[in-house]
Amino acid sequence: MKVFSTAQKKLLWICAAIIFVTRVILAFRPESQICTRPYTEDSFYVFSCAQHLSHGDGFSVDGVQPTNGVQPLIVVLYAPIFDLCGANKWLALRLSFLLGALIGIASMYLLARLLLIMSNAPPVTTTLRTGLRTAPILGALLWTLSYPIIRETMNGLETGLYSMLILAACLTYAEFSVRNETKLLAWAAFGVTLGSLVLARIDGVFFVMAFGLLEIVQHRWEGLKRAIVLGVIAFVVSLPWWIYNLRVFGSLMPTSGQSESIANTIPENLSRGIMVIADIVSTFFYMPSYELSALLSAVWVFVVFGVILAIFTRFSLWKSVCTRANIGILAPLGIASFALVIFYIFFFSAPHFLPRYFQPLRILWLILFSLACAIGFAKYSSFTQRAKLLTQFAGGVVLLAAIAFSVSRYAESFNERNTTDLFYAGKWALQHQDGLVGMNQSGTASFIAPNVINLDGKVNRDALEAKKAGTMGVYLVRKNFRYLADWKEFVDPLVRSAEANGAQFHEIDSIGLIHFYERVDPP
């Protein structure tokens, strides 16, 4: 089996050190800044659930009502941290950055190892391997320094763990392909990895199907046996979560997924999905849709795809990647990524989360990009002088822009001055514990104050049922919410629905974009 050279090992250690420092140092910010980027509002549902799991309350955001609106494996990994820290949940939150850093280091190594195997796996010949020695290091550097990777893998949610297990699955499959693994016991062990991937994020089932399908197509009867072993073991590993979902909630779909699927947002999904794919293909950048006009978004998409197509065509990079590296190893990742893109565009309704949902596609592109750059470097010596100058200029511009973008975005996350209003909403709720506070965006606030209750249905089954039935007002009155709070576009419909069912509210306070209403009629 091919191993890293001494120089490659040194560079990987440097990458590991950079990942550790840049991720862990985020833990030393004030509490108000920890509640902002890279952590998200939904991250705090996970942290609250982990805290209650460590206290023996099961999967629950409030310690009373069970939930399945989180991905289970990351909660299980966070729970010992909260158990270790006891009542000091802020210390546990700081230590969560350490876990994220360790996952990031492991992911970086797995990616480099996968690229090393792809660069040397059959049917690649010795002559065609020229230049690919740099691919593992390029991949490691991108995982270490690219802000889009930091943003998606250090968001406090399951995405970092999910990415690590995707890379572990692809690496295992690559090793199996190289040595033509036929032992069913080895494939059973692989099934454990895929089962863990499903527990990390339930759409990991697309990967189980992709690996199984590819084995059947490629190896017929022998492949069918491996696919069965793979699928059965993955199912057994993830079975406790499926049983929990069915017994407690009567559905395999989490409440968070059901809540996000009520609206029909296919047109918005399509426009946002194209934008996200353009960001992924740009490799170093992302352009949030709410910061750009429709015209600029279209220009960005056109420029990115145009430049990439021109480069790959001009230097025949796609053909070179296919002949110089065994990209057949990536077939399951490609199949699963395509299936996930189709699913989340046409069968889901959360366009704002598409960057996270498309993370497998980002991993696939990063691997191909690393291979293409390595091959491009190898071809550089054959360029004409004019082509060399043009390449140097273009490469320098992109490199400087990428460094500036990552450094500025990281610095902005590290020293976020505009701390989230939702943090202060939680502090406000702590000072008003004489009644329940209902919020749609309740993740951060409910982590801070136990009297904050979720109303958009992501982690509150009763609110979800009321939302689907159109009886939210009845639910608010029946539960005797004393306060309702959120952004205007979220809290005003709640107030109107409650008042339509006999309650009376008036606005008593505001913090930034958050408006607070108090019930004034006797409950």
Side-chain angles (χ1 to χ4, degrees), residues 293-324:
S293 66
L295 176 61
L296 289 178
S297 296
V299 170
W300 170 248
V301 170
F302 178 79
V303 168
V304 169
F305 283 113
V307 169
I308 292 297
L309 180 61
I311 292 174
F312 269 72
T313 302
R314 172 65 179 80
F315 300 107
S316 301
L317 285 180
W318 178 248
K319 181 179 179 180
S320 297
V321 169
C322 291
T323 56
R324 300 191 182 197

Side-chain angles (χ1 to χ4, degrees), residues 197-278:
L197 177 58
V198 173
L199 290 175
R201 185 170 175 81
I202 63 170
D203 61 19
V205 296
F206 285 103
F207 283 89
V208 179
M209 292 188 290
F211 282 108
L213 177 64
L214 201 63
E215 278 301 298
I216 294 171
V217 170
Q218 290 182 337
H219 302 289
R220 307 292 178 171
W221 171 242
E222 289 299 321
L224 177 61
K225 289 192 292 185
R226 296 170 193 168
I228 292 173
V229 169
L230 206 63
V232 168
I233 298 298
F235 176 72
V236 170
V237 170
S238 59
L239 183 59
W241 186 246
W242 303 124
I243 293 174
Y244 170 72
N245 284 348
L246 287 174
R247 283 189 174 181
V248 179
F249 302 94
S251 173
L252 296 177
M253 174 71 79
T255 54
S256 54
Q258 294 180 52
S259 176
E260 296 287 5
S261 299
I262 293 176
N264 181 4
T265 60
I266 290 179
E268 189 177 354
N269 286 354
L270 282 168
S271 61
R272 178 64 170 149
I274 293 171
M275 186 73 173
V276 172
I277 293 173

Side-chain angles (χ1 to χ4, degrees), residues 53 100 104 107 121 124 164 166 179 234 297 315 318 320 322:
L53 182 64
S107 300
V124 183
M164 184 190 76
I166 288 173
R179 65 173 186 256
S297 296
F315 300 107
W318 178 248
S320 297
C322 291

Side-chain angles (χ1 to χ4, degrees), residues 341-355:
V341 168
I342 296 300
F343 176 76
Y344 283 115
I345 287 180
F346 294 101
F347 301 97
F348 217 67
S349 303
H352 45 290
F353 289 141
L354 289 181

